[in-house]
Amino acid sequence: MDFTIRAATLEDCKDVARMITELAEYEKAADHVEITQKDLEQDGFSKNPFFHGIIAEVPEQHKSKDGHSKVGYSLYFYSYSSFKGRAVYMEDLYVMPEFRGKGIGKALMRKVAQLGLAAGCTQLNFSVLDWNKPSLDFYFSQGCQDVTSDLGYHYLRCEGDALEYLAQGDP
Amino acid sequence: MDFTIRAATLEDCKDVARMITELAEYEKAADHVEITQKDLEQDGFSKNPFFHGIIAEVPEQHKSKDGHSKVGYSLYFYSYSSFKGRAVYMEDLYVMPEFRGKGIGKALMRKVAQLGLAAGCTQLNFSVLDWNKPSLDFYFSQGCQDVTSDLGYHYLRCEGDALEYLAQGDP
């Protein structure tokens, strides 16, 4: 099947918001999604954007059962390793279920890798849920390393009241 | 002890490079450090910087045994959660051993939290080695959550030949 990989624009935010919800359902995390189309428009397409996006699109005649021609996306941003330097972080890589197995996910990831290398990055980093074996198998087949299992790096997070309290400091 | 927390400037890169090496030695990863003072100058202090820095500085009369008055630092950059939106990632938080236990690390982290909240971020994320119990205890005491242990998120990485191969694609 033909498909196109291209940079996301403001007009894609509605479909990206839809696919973020689909991804969250797959990750059993639908309750955690607070992002809206408007957030994506503001945060990704104003000055100093917080992320960049890539869209996978199929021709009209191949659109999904529900009528969608935007069938996959990736969100990424540039980051930094104090040991290795410039890096790119792939926040999401998603392809709608009925379009999987056609190379679309790999093409999206390839585009992030190309953009990262072009910007001088030496690492492409991302995170995966440990029960998501199909995704892990795909990433390992691409030569990726599990830095948590191999080196012991754990993700930590401060949010909500803890973040507010940390910022306020002692009275 | 008095200390000052302030934004890093180009002139701090020599000391940041020194402290990155110290941190890597503590993390038993000295062999993995490829970053140089020049890299930090280019990547953090040109247009569209890849990171921002914060410095902890003590007065001259309290400088270290080796004569250093810049005794701690944090590197951070803005990131994005497709579920929750704007986030800040704390790449490093380091205080020289002889200056620990004086609240300097907490003050550095507080500054990152303040800057994150001011930029509309709802999460402060970072990673910690699972054997680094003193750091983990400190972060848990601040209300941080281990997202790897609690939710199963693993860090994955593509670099070197694997990254080049991914970007080139099939012949």
Side-chain angles (χ1 to χ4, degrees):
Chain A
M1 184 188 296
D2 281 347
F3 59 86
T4 310
I5 302 291
R6 60 167 176 79
T9 69
L10 192 71
E11 287 67 38
D12 296 315
C13 289
K14 184 180 175 184
D15 280 277
V16 173
R18 166 182 60 81
M19 289 189 279
I20 286 174
T21 304
E22 294 175 17
L23 173 60
E25 284 164 2
Y26 175 73
E27 292 191 340
K28 306 178 178 102
D31 293 350
H32 296 124
V33 176
E34 294 172 9
I35 215 79
T36 64
Q37 176 185 344
K38 193 175 170 190
D39 292 326
L40 295 171
E41 289 170 356
Q42 283 182 337
D43 297 340
F45 299 91
S46 48
K47 209 185 157 210
N48 299 322
F50 279 73
F51 67 87
H52 309 282
I54 300 171
I55 296 287
E57 198 163 16
V58 294
E60 272 296 303
Q61 67 269 29
H62 291 132
K63 64 188 180 184
S64 77
K65 281 178 269 177
D66 295 338
H68 299 296
S69 57
K70 298 169 187 176
V71 302
Y73 77 100
S74 179
L75 297 189
Y76 68 96
F77 49 82
Y78 293 104
S79 63
Y80 207 71
S81 158
S82 58
F83 293 174
K84 298 289 180 87
R86 300 179 185 194
V88 58
Y89 189 90
M90 184 172 69
E91 166 67 12
D92 282 347
L93 178 65
Y94 177 76
V95 178
M96 291 174 69
E98 59 187 290
F99 294 90
R100 290 180 195 162
K102 302 175 192 302
I104 297 177
K106 190 168 174 181
L108 284 165
M109 190 173 178
R110 173 172 301 143
K111 190 69 185 173
V112 178
Q114 289 170 345
L115 292 164
L117 285 172
C121 302
T122 62
Q123 295 181 338
L124 166 60
N125 296 309
F126 51 103
S127 69
V128 181
L129 285 159
D130 55 5
W131 53 257
N132 189 353
K133 197 163 178 318
S135 291
L136 285 168
D137 285 346
F138 167 69
Y139 293 127
F140 292 145
S141 76
Q142 302 302 310
C144 301
Q145 181 190 17
D146 185 330
V147 175
T148 297
S149 296
D150 295 355
L151 302 176
Y153 281 101
H154 277 225
Y155 253 111
L156 269 76
R157 175 168 299 160
C158 187
E159 64 183 339
D161 289 345
L163 184 59
E164 293 283 353
Y165 191 80
L166 175 64
Q168 283 162 19
D170 305 316
Chain B
M1 183 187 296
D2 282 346
F3 59 85
T4 309
I5 302 292
R6 60 167 176 78
T9 69
L10 192 72
E11 287 68 38
D12 296 315
C13 289
K14 184 179 174 184
D15 281 277
V16 173
R18 166 182 60 81
M19 289 189 279
I20 286 173
T21 305
E22 293 174 17
L23 173 61
E25 284 164 2
Y26 175 73
E27 292 191 340
K28 305 178 177 105
D31 293 350
H32 296 124
V33 176
E34 294 173 9
I35 213 79
T36 64
Q37 175 185 345
K38 193 174 169 190
D39 292 327
L40 294 170
E41 289 170 356
Q42 283 182 339
D43 297 340
F45 299 92
S46 48
K47 209 184 158 211
N48 300 321
F50 279 73
F51 67 86
H52 308 281
I54 300 170
I55 295 288
E57 198 163 18
V58 295
E60 271 296 303
Q61 67 269 29
H62 291 132
K63 64 188 180 185
S64 78
K65 281 178 270 177
D66 295 337
H68 299 297
S69 58
K70 297 170 187 176
V71 303
Y73 77 99
S74 180
L75 297 189
Y76 67 97
F77 49 81
Y78 293 104
S79 62
Y80 206 71
S81 158
S82 59
F83 293 174
K84 298 290 179 85
R86 300 178 185 195
V88 58
Y89 189 89
M90 185 172 70
E91 166 66 11
D92 282 346
L93 178 65
Y94 177 76
V95 178
M96 290 174 70
E98 59 186 293
F99 293 91
R100 289 180 195 163
K102 302 175 193 305
I104 298 177
K106 190 169 173 180
L108 284 165
M109 189 173 176
R110 173 172 302 144
K111 191 69 186 175
V112 178
Q114 289 169 345
L115 292 164
L117 285 172
C121 301
T122 62
Q123 295 182 337
L124 166 59
N125 296 309
F126 51 104
S127 69
V128 181
L129 285 159
D130 55 5
W131 53 258
N132 188 353
K133 196 162 179 317
S135 291
L136 285 167
D137 286 345
F138 168 70
Y139 293 127
F140 292 145
S141 77
Q142 302 302 309
C144 301
Q145 180 191 17
D146 185 331
V147 175
T148 298
S149 296
D150 295 355
L151 303 176
Y153 281 102
H154 277 224
Y155 254 113
L156 269 77
R157 175 168 299 160
C158 188
E159 63 184 340
D161 288 346
L163 184 58
E164 293 283 352
Y165 190 80
L166 175 64
Q168 283 161 18
D170 304 314

